[in-house]
Amino acid sequence: MGAPVSGGRSGTGHHLAPDINALPYVDRRFLAHDPYPAEDGRTEANMVGARGCPYDCSFCGAAVSANPDITIRVRKPDNILGEMHELRDCHGVTAFRFVDDLFLGARRVIETMMKAFTVEKVSDWAVWDATGRINVLHRANDATLDRLADNGLREVALGIESGNPRVLRYIDKRITPAMIRTVIRRLSERGIGVKGYFILGFPSESADELDDTVSLVRELWHLTDRLPGRFRASVFEFRPYPGTPEWSRLVATGRYTAEQLLAYGAVDLTGDGLDDAMRGRDEFNFSVGIQFGGVPVDDVRRHLVELSREQHDRRVVA
């Protein structure tokens, strides 16, 4: 906690693509379903505003230690706005989803982008979603959050992962449950929705610690029920990825081979039948089937299904 973060390793820049601002815009002819019609009637498109992540979350394939030759590269505002204009003028896009690791992951980037969005009056013709970091948004003052809302920010995707303080420290998330509650309340008060990502079944996680995560998900639902912005949860089973800090810890125990940790298999969470609550999740339901912590795999999946169905039911009711 509190250690400086950076990306990349000196002398490896030749492995990277050319200057990110010199790359052509994505040729959407090669994307069969992007842009696409969104549920609210808008035409929506995915975009990437930055590449790389400076953090080292133990479970994440984007962890800086797993990608030592990757530096953090952020597109200039005029480059991003140019692609947004092209998508609007050529495809009628008025909703944008920034899917890079951390579009709202640094105060400097937030300030620079929001200044450009304000000048461009983006909120007059578009809404947008983005990824962010709890710790960065926790340090943001009210004026910064107001500026995000005023510029059309519709929803922020946040990697929360756990509701237990020890587990959050173990995975090097650099956040606390108190920070999580505060950030989601402050965003929701401004009409900004939050999509929280959670992982169940971390190595060393006890049943009580997993219960803390389940309880936090439900608490955040209830917290935002009375606020303009809503919270939604997306929950996953832990799985190890090569090169991550968690992979190294697991291998170092001597209890697992690389072959075991790579034995990913599909998981049917629907009970061999159709289940609208699981629709669209099939590609994410894979596992190595190993109990890494104190919670049996079947119990992890039971909680996952329960939370997914509760989230689906809340969406239907809303």
Side-chain angles (χ1 to χ4, degrees):
M1 296 286 287
V5 293
S6 61
R9 184 170 57 194
S10 61
T12 60
H14 61 285
H15 293 301
L16 302 178
D19 173 15
I20 193 171
N21 292 290
L23 294 172
Y25 298 145
V26 174
D27 189 337
R28 304 281 163 163
R29 290 176 300 176
F30 295 98
L31 301 180
H33 302 291
D34 194 332
Y36 50 90
E39 293 182 357
D40 62 0
R42 293 177 180 266
T43 299
E44 187 169 297
N46 292 295
M47 288 185 58
V48 174
R51 295 186 179 181
C53 178
Y55 293 93
D56 206 32
C57 299
S58 71
F59 58 89
C60 184
V64 67
S65 64
N67 303 275
D69 58 343
I70 301 298
T71 58
I72 312 306
R73 293 162 291 159
V74 182
R75 293 170 63 185
K76 295 179 179 178
D78 62 338
N79 186 264
I80 291 175
L81 287 166
E83 185 174 7
M84 293 172 70
H85 289 156
E86 181 178 281
L87 286 166
R88 178 193 62 187
D89 297 341
C90 297
H91 301 283
V93 174
T94 59
F96 301 88
R97 186 178 298 273
F98 289 93
V99 295
D100 37 305
D101 291 307
L102 289 176
F103 187 69
L104 302 178
R107 183 177 63 182
R108 173 182 57 82
V109 176
I110 293 174
E111 292 174 351
T112 301
M113 287 305 308
M114 289 309 97
K115 181 178 179 180
F117 274 36
T118 299
V119 171
E120 185 61 30
K121 297 182 179 179
V122 168
S123 63
D124 286 353
W125 55 275
V127 295
W128 50 282
D129 305 334
T131 50
R133 282 281 306 193
I134 292 281
N135 55 334
V136 173
L137 294 172
H138 186 259
R139 292 193 296 268
N141 58 31
D142 287 345
T144 296
L145 298 187
D146 289 341
R147 196 171 300 118
L148 289 169
D150 292 343
N151 275 296
L153 177 57
R154 179 176 57 179
E155 184 179 68
V156 181
L158 298 172
I160 297 172
E161 319 310 350
S162 175
N164 179 265
R166 188 203 67 82
V167 174
L168 290 169
R169 291 192 299 270
Y170 172 82
I171 62 176
D172 196 18
K173 197 62 192 176
R174 306 189 182 203
I175 61 176
T176 67
M179 291 166 62
I180 295 166
R181 296 181 181 96
T182 298
V183 167
I184 290 174
R185 175 184 55 76
R186 293 176 69 204
L187 290 170
S188 298
E189 287 173 344
R190 290 165 170 79
I192 300 172
V194 176
K195 183 178 184 179
Y197 291 100
F198 297 85
I199 296 174
L200 305 180
F202 279 116
S204 82
E205 184 177 51
S206 70
D208 288 342
E209 289 171 334
L210 187 148
D211 286 344
D212 287 342
T213 299
V214 173
S215 296
L216 180 63
V217 171
R218 292 177 173 138
E219 178 185 341
L220 296 174
W221 280 331
H222 295 312
L223 171 67
T224 60
D225 277 347
R226 61 181 184 276
L227 298 174
R230 291 300 177 91
F231 173 79
R232 60 190 181 116
S234 190
V235 189
F236 302 88
E237 178 182 336
F238 169 78
R239 47 192 173 246
Y241 294 125
T244 61
E246 202 59 62
W247 175 280
S248 299
R249 285 198 290 222
L250 290 170
V251 170
T253 66
R255 294 195 295 267
Y256 312 102
T257 65
E259 289 74 16
Q260 288 176 305
L261 297 180
L262 283 173
Y264 304 128
V267 177
D268 180 13
L269 297 175
T270 66
D272 296 318
L274 294 177
D275 187 334
D276 283 342
M278 300 296 144
R279 193 179 299 277
R281 290 188 56 95
D282 290 349
E283 66 269 35
F284 304 115
N285 294 336
F286 61 93
S287 167
V288 296
I290 297 174
Q291 178 180 335
F292 292 106
V295 185
V297 172
D298 286 346
D299 287 347
V300 168
R301 293 175 185 169
R302 176 176 55 81
H303 284 296
L304 193 160
V305 170
E306 288 175 355
L307 290 172
S308 296
R309 287 177 175 158
E310 286 182 49
Q311 178 62 72
H312 177 265
D313 291 344
R314 295 177 66 82
R315 181 181 178 184
V316 170
V317 170

